[in-house]
Amino acid sequence: MDQQREQASQIAHEFIVYQESEQADIDAKDHQFDALWQSIYDVCKLIKFGIIEDITEEEFEEAYAWLKTTQSLTEDYQELELEF
């Protein structure tokens, strides 16, 4: 599972939505992947609420697909219902 998290992290760091996020995983000491996942999730919510407007639909869909694919790799968010 650690290798999957590492690979998923590399993919997420390339997303435009990650660059818009607080990038909490950079400073996280514990649960670094969960912090990354939460950052991407938060930005996606802000996009859907219309607070962040400079992200394309394609960029959003790319990040949302990543969230769904990698949710099982998180420790704290496996049961969270993605509401977008």
Side-chain angles (χ1 to χ4, degrees):
M1 187 180 288
D2 285 339
Q3 185 178 14
Q4 290 174 312
R5 284 183 182 149
E6 185 177 324
Q7 184 178 25
S9 295
Q10 289 174 351
I11 292 168
H13 283 119
E14 296 175 14
F15 292 152
I16 296 298
V17 296
Y18 174 71
Q19 296 169 17
E20 292 288 327
S21 78
E22 63 188 37
Q23 301 176 358
D25 63 299
I26 292 171
D27 295 324
K29 292 182 172 110
D30 297 322
H31 305 286
Q32 193 171 25
F33 186 77
D34 278 28
L36 170 62
W37 196 93
Q38 181 66 47
S39 290
I40 301 294
Y41 176 83
D42 289 346
V43 171
C44 285
K45 290 289 268 193
L46 292 172
I47 293 166
K48 281 304 177 184
F49 286 138
I51 296 169
I52 295 176
E53 298 176 341
D54 60 342
I55 302 293
T56 67
E57 186 65 26
E58 181 180 317
E59 291 165 339
F60 170 81
E61 290 298 329
E62 178 181 54
Y64 179 63
W66 180 87
L67 286 171
K68 291 191 315 185
T69 302
T70 61
Q71 187 171 13
S72 64
L73 301 175
T74 67
E75 294 184 33
D76 296 331
Y77 303 111
Q78 290 185 13
E79 302 298 320
L80 180 70
E81 186 174 332
L82 296 178
E83 303 171 9
F84 297 117

